[in-house]
Amino acid sequence: MEIRKGKMSDAKGIAKVHVDSWRTTYVNIVPDEYLKEMTYESREQLWNQLIPNGNVFVAEDNNGKIVGFASGGRERSNQYEDFNGELYAIYLLEEYQRKGIGKLLFMQIVKYIQELGYNTMIVLVLAENPSCLFYEALGGRKIDALEVEILGKKLVETVYGWEDIRRKMV
């Protein structure tokens, strides 16, 4: 398993992980219609726009297949003045979850955010997402809850914060 910086040729693989992981993680959470409407093509276009920013990292198996990705950078909302970094996204194909790969991706984003000169970080996670336990195990503290709506369904996003990402995480 290799964790490396994403490159333009990774967009298709990242898009596949993005769509497939949403369809397994968010079933019975996000409306089925939304999950069915997600396409590899639209996500590939999105990642073609985001990869050049340099804040995308991929997990690649020994056969060169992208099995996960993460992205992060400066906190985007400006609503959390005590937090200046943000983990934007982290996704793994279901069969690669709970093998330590997510933690490797997470730590790569922490390193990247530190290289930007930031020492604090947030992540927004749907409250019903089982991954909430992942963030809590890595020292994330609940600092806020936001209501979001996807195709008319009201959901809650939990905001986790890390006040000092220079500390060793579990």
Side-chain angles (χ1 to χ4, degrees):
M1 190 63 56
E2 179 185 6
I3 306 298
R4 62 169 174 77
K5 198 168 206 60
K7 52 191 181 204
M8 291 303 292
S9 59
D10 295 329
K12 187 182 286 292
I14 293 170
K16 181 164 178 25
V17 170
H18 196 169
V19 172
D20 291 353
S21 63
W22 265 68
R23 288 181 177 162
T24 56
T25 302
Y26 296 123
V27 67
N28 298 321
I29 298 172
V30 170
D32 290 343
E33 183 182 341
Y34 184 85
L35 298 175
K36 288 177 188 167
E37 289 176 358
M38 289 182 80
T39 66
Y40 297 131
E41 296 77 21
S42 67
R43 295 300 158 157
E44 185 176 352
Q45 289 175 4
L46 170 72
W47 290 105
N48 275 324
Q49 293 170 3
L50 296 176
I51 291 170
N53 296 334
N55 61 350
V56 179
F57 298 87
V58 297
E60 186 178 70
D61 72 8
N62 296 334
N63 298 317
K65 176 184 174 185
I66 294 174
V67 300
F69 71 90
S71 67
R74 185 184 61 76
E75 195 275 317
R76 298 173 290 185
S77 74
N78 296 316
Q79 292 183 359
Y80 303 98
E81 62 186 45
D82 293 334
F83 297 90
N84 43 33
E86 181 178 351
L87 170 61
Y88 303 148
I90 184 168
Y91 291 105
L92 288 165
L93 294 174
E94 186 174 42
E95 60 269 28
Y96 290 89
Q97 294 173 9
R98 291 171 288 287
K99 297 181 185 303
I101 302 165
K103 183 177 179 186
L104 292 173
L105 284 166
F106 178 90
M107 295 310 295
Q108 183 62 57
I109 294 298
V110 166
K111 180 181 173 194
Y112 175 76
I113 288 172
Q114 287 176 312
E115 288 170 359
L116 295 175
Y118 305 140
N119 296 315
T120 59
M121 182 177 83
I122 64 165
V123 65
L124 284 72
V125 186
L126 287 177
E128 293 182 57
N129 184 336
S131 297
C132 289
L133 297 173
F134 169 78
Y135 299 111
E136 292 170 13
L138 289 170
R141 182 176 59 84
K142 292 179 185 179
I143 61 168
D144 201 3
L146 309 169
E147 189 176 277
V148 295
E149 192 173 308
I150 299 178
L151 289 183
K153 182 175 181 182
K154 292 186 185 325
L155 299 165
V156 173
E157 273 187 324
T158 301
V159 181
Y160 287 96
W162 287 263
E163 294 171 351
D164 189 351
I165 59 175
R166 296 170 297 184
R167 287 191 207 152
K168 177 157 175 50
M169 297 182 195
V170 178

